């Protein structure tokens, strides 16, 4: 398996390069991003998407704001970079990794003693976030692989793969690591209406690696679970509060179905996705535009004037989650976040 690089800093460019995920699977194109406006557009359009990748993009975004900032006085520099950082932070509300990545790099800018030190520290921190993300995904993969039987079929939703991270993936990282350990894993990828991250992205990256993947429509999941064809459901997460796991719309439905049929429902996510001081009620679920549901290519599916609701995420209550697979090991709800963070596991 050859690692897919999703987004990275290009020293020569002085900016970020990323795969435009809106074009997959028809076209593999790398975007050169050298302004905050372009980055914000990319995040809003889901050219860059997936919680860990958004954390990395947030970090690189602040490094980019610092690199581009023309101010020579340090207080004016910090003010401008902080303003740009807020634009990146606010570009999508649900995945906590985005604000986590922004805040982590911004803290380095604000703690520096001058402009030049702040620029260097910002870039070094952003690169560290990207490198950590890769290590986290491999560690999550290793812990998760141990939970899977030697031969199994795993259902997943949306894309929690290399494209949603720096590389390797969280939920798909578990599958990759299980295969690397010699297990035989087949994947059922739910297409994930309306933006089809499962059909377009999960199927693309698994097929590229020669991993056995079959796509179903979201509404087929219950039937396929009922007929005994699924051994485990594994999804990623955009935010994990004390009481719920936020992930792509449709995840809750799979969790209910999996529990009804006695199938383990696992969440694979790094600790940067935890927001353990908050509760489900405190989290904003992104609602997106009508056109994502009303149009398929050039075809209009809905009569004029008929409204839609387009929730991008949902919340799965913790009692439906069999376990959460993190880079520090597996936790079973109800869990103690402080104990998890304090674990000495290296990754
Ligand atoms: O709207 P998206 O494509 O950014 O949503 C992504 C998901 O819901 C993923 O499952 C989640 O971010 C976990 S990615 C490892």
């Amino acid at each position: 398996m050859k690692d897919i690089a999703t987004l990275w800093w290009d020293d020569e460019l002085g900016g970020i390069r990323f795969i435009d995920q809106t074009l997959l699977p028809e076209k593999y194109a790398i975007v050169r991003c050298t302004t905050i406006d372009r980055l914000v557009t990319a995040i809003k359009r889901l050219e860059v998407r997936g919680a860990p990748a958004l954390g990395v993009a947030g970090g690189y975004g602040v490094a980019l704001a610092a690199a581009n900032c023309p101010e020579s006085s340090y207080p004016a520099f910090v003010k401008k970079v902080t303003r740009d950082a807020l634009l990146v932070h606010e570009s999508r509300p649900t995945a906590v990794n985005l604000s986590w990545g922004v805040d982590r790099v911004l803290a380095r800018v604000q703690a520096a003693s001058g402009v030049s030190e702040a620029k260097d520290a910002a870039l070094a921190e952003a690169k560290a976030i990207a490198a950590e993300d890769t290590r986290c995904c491999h560690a999550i993969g290793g812990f998760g692989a141990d939970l899977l039987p030697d031969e199994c079929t795993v259902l997943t939703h949306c894309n929690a793969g290399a494209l949603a991270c720096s590389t390797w993936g969280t939920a798909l990282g578990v599958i990759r690591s299980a295969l690397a350990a010699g297990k035989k894993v087949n994947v059922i990828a739910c297409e994930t209406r309306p933006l089809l991250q499962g059909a377009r992205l999960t199927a693309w990256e698994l097929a590229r690696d020669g991993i056995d993947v079959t796509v179903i429509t979201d509404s087929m999941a219950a039937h396929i679970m009922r007929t005994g064809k699924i051994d485990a459901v594994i999804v990623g997460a955009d935010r994990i509060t004390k009481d719920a796991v936020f992930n792509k719309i449709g995840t809750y439905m799979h969790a209910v179905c999996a529990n009804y049929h006695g199938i383990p429902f696992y969440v694979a996510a790094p600790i940067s996705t935890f927001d353990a001081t908050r509760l489900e009620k405190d989290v904003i679920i992104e609602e997106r535009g009508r056109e994502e549901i009303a149009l398929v290519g050039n075809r209009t599916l809905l009569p004029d004037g008929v409204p839609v609701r387009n929730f991008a995420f949902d919340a799965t209550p913790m009692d439906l989650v069999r376990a959460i697979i993190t880079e520090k090991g597996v936790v079973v709800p109800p869990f103690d976040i402080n104990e998890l963070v304090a674990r000495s596991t290296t990754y």
Side-chain angles (χ1 to χ4, degrees), residues 231-306:
D231 299 292
V233 176
I234 312 181
V235 296
D238 288 87
R239 189 184 293 245
I240 300 173
T241 57
K242 260 190 195 161
D243 54 346
V245 172
F246 289 78
N247 192 50
K248 178 55 54 192
I249 191 75
T251 301
Y252 171 47
M253 170 178 86
H254 296 317
V256 170
C257 264
N259 276 264
Y260 183 80
H261 294 102
I263 298 166
F265 177 85
Y266 297 120
V267 175
I271 290 173
S272 53
T273 301
F274 285 69
D275 189 12
T277 59
R278 289 210 172 75
L279 292 170
E280 177 185 341
K281 66 177 177 48
D282 305 322
V283 177
I284 298 172
I285 291 194
E286 178 183 4
E287 279 200 63
R288 298 181 60 85
R290 181 180 190 278
E291 69 291 348
E292 290 182 356
I293 289 180
L295 301 177
V296 170
N298 294 328
R299 273 211 70 191
T300 302
L301 301 181
L302 296 182
D304 283 349
V306 174

Side-chain angles (χ1 to χ4, degrees), residues 27-79:
K27 193 170 169 198
Y28 173 88
I30 304 291
V31 174
R32 298 151 52 97
C33 172
T34 53
T35 66
I36 290 299
D37 282 355
R38 182 67 188 86
L39 181 63
V40 167
T41 301
I43 293 173
K44 288 186 170 162
R45 292 191 65 240
L46 274 55
E47 291 170 59
V48 173
R49 44 134 315 269
L54 289 174
V56 175
Y60 280 145
V62 180
L64 181 63
N68 286 353
C69 183
E71 302 289 353
S72 53
S73 114
Y74 179 60
F77 172 88
V78 172
K79 200 168 163 194

Side-chain angles (χ1 to χ4, degrees), residues 147-156 175 178-179 183-189 212-216 224-225 228-234 263-264 266:
L147 298 174
L148 295 181
D150 287 346
E151 280 198 27
C152 57
T153 299
V154 172
L155 181 139
T156 190
I175 289 158
L179 287 161
K183 297 190 176 188
K184 187 171 170 344
V185 187
N186 300 311
V187 181
I188 299 290
D212 190 334
V213 57
T214 301
V215 174
I216 59 168
I224 210 161
M225 287 189 210
K229 296 190 176 66
I230 304 295
D231 299 292
V233 176
I234 312 181
I263 298 166
Y266 297 120

Side-chain angles (χ1 to χ4, degrees), residues 88-99:
V88 179
H89 178 137
E90 287 178 343
S91 52
R92 285 191 85 189
T94 308
V96 73
N97 305 61
L98 179 59
S99 54

